[in-house]
Amino acid sequence: LDAPVSGGDLGAKNGTLSIMVGGEEGAFERALPVFLKMGKNVVLQGKNGAGQYCKMANQIVIASTMLAVSEALVYGNAAGLNPRTMLKSIESGAAGSWSLSNLVPRMLDGNVSPGFYIKHFIKDMGIALDSAKELSLSLPGLELARKLYQTLAAMDRSALERAAEKAVAQLSPNTMTKATIPLEATTGADLGTQAIFLLYALERV
């Protein structure tokens, strides 16, 4: 069986991962009790390899979503909205998503520590783009997301600290009081995927 997961560090800690499985149904049924110890949404997607394809589809959605939530954050702030109050309205509407509800609060807390590393996310986006090429598909949204994440990954610690300071200064009063780059982070590649908002603070998009 191939059984990639989604749900981040919170899903892993809480046993609420989404598990995408590829393989024979009999093998899946035998393994299901184990999967249910780790996740709440366990679905057999098809034959071997189908779980991996589903995981790539998941990463494609997340890639564009992370850009969208960052842009909504900076737009709402520039328009005079309090981003935390804005989030209360849009997270329960049609724009709602796991990333919006779980990662935007981290952004607003200035928390860029990795639940999922940017360097690993870039790797996944590359795999998805290679797979899309094999399927004769063009995915411009994913291409853009990878380009922006690569830009962030290449930033050194001093550039990241400047971006963090600027993000705090730009947001509405009391929205973000600090943004701290983890001590172990030497480049943007060592941050969590939610750190993409730092690029917007530097207007490097």
Side-chain angles (χ1 to χ4, degrees):
L1 298 172
D2 56 287
V5 303
S6 181
D9 56 332
L10 293 177
K13 291 173 183 176
N14 297 329
T16 57
L17 292 169
S18 178
I19 305 177
M20 311 154 227
V21 187
E24 296 299 323
E25 187 170 359
F28 171 74
E29 293 296 337
R30 291 193 296 273
L32 186 57
V34 177
F35 289 143
L36 289 174
K37 298 286 186 181
M38 301 178 285
K40 297 297 184 184
N41 182 35
V42 185
V43 179
L44 179 63
Q45 293 293 331
K47 62 183 180 180
N48 288 106
Q52 297 293 346
Y53 281 122
C54 188
K55 173 66 174 182
M56 289 302 100
N58 181 82
Q59 300 304 75
I60 291 167
V61 171
I62 292 174
S64 293
T65 299
M66 292 309 298
L67 302 190
V69 297
S70 296
E71 291 179 5
L73 177 62
V74 297
Y75 171 82
N77 181 72
L81 298 176
N82 182 303
R84 292 186 187 276
T85 306
M86 179 187 75
L87 181 62
K88 291 179 182 179
S89 290
I90 66 176
E91 70 176 342
S92 60
S97 69
W98 187 95
S99 297
L100 191 67
S101 297
N102 290 277
L103 296 183
V104 172
R106 293 189 189 187
M107 292 177 180
L108 295 177
D109 288 339
N111 178 359
V112 294
S113 295
F116 190 65
Y117 282 97
I118 284 175
K119 56 190 171 186
H120 299 321
F121 193 39
I122 291 173
K123 172 186 65 68
D124 282 357
M125 287 188 281
I127 293 171
L129 285 167
D130 288 343
S131 178
K133 186 176 181 180
E134 292 174 357
L135 297 170
S136 300
L137 295 175
S138 174
L139 302 178
L142 184 59
E143 288 275 13
L144 174 60
R146 183 174 67 161
K147 178 182 177 181
L148 294 180
Y149 270 103
Q150 287 173 331
T151 299
L152 179 57
M155 291 169 60
D156 62 20
R157 186 175 183 86
S158 62
L160 294 171
E161 289 175 343
R162 288 195 302 273
E165 291 173 2
K166 192 168 183 180
V168 172
Q170 285 179 344
L171 287 174
S172 303
N174 302 319
T175 297
M176 181 190 294
T177 57
K178 65 178 181 178
T180 304
I181 305 302
L183 290 175
E184 64 274 15
T186 57
T187 70
D190 300 320
L191 303 181
T193 54
Q194 74 275 14
I196 191 66
F197 78 92
L198 294 176
L199 272 189
Y200 289 85
L202 285 178
E203 299 176 353
R204 296 181 65 174
V205 293

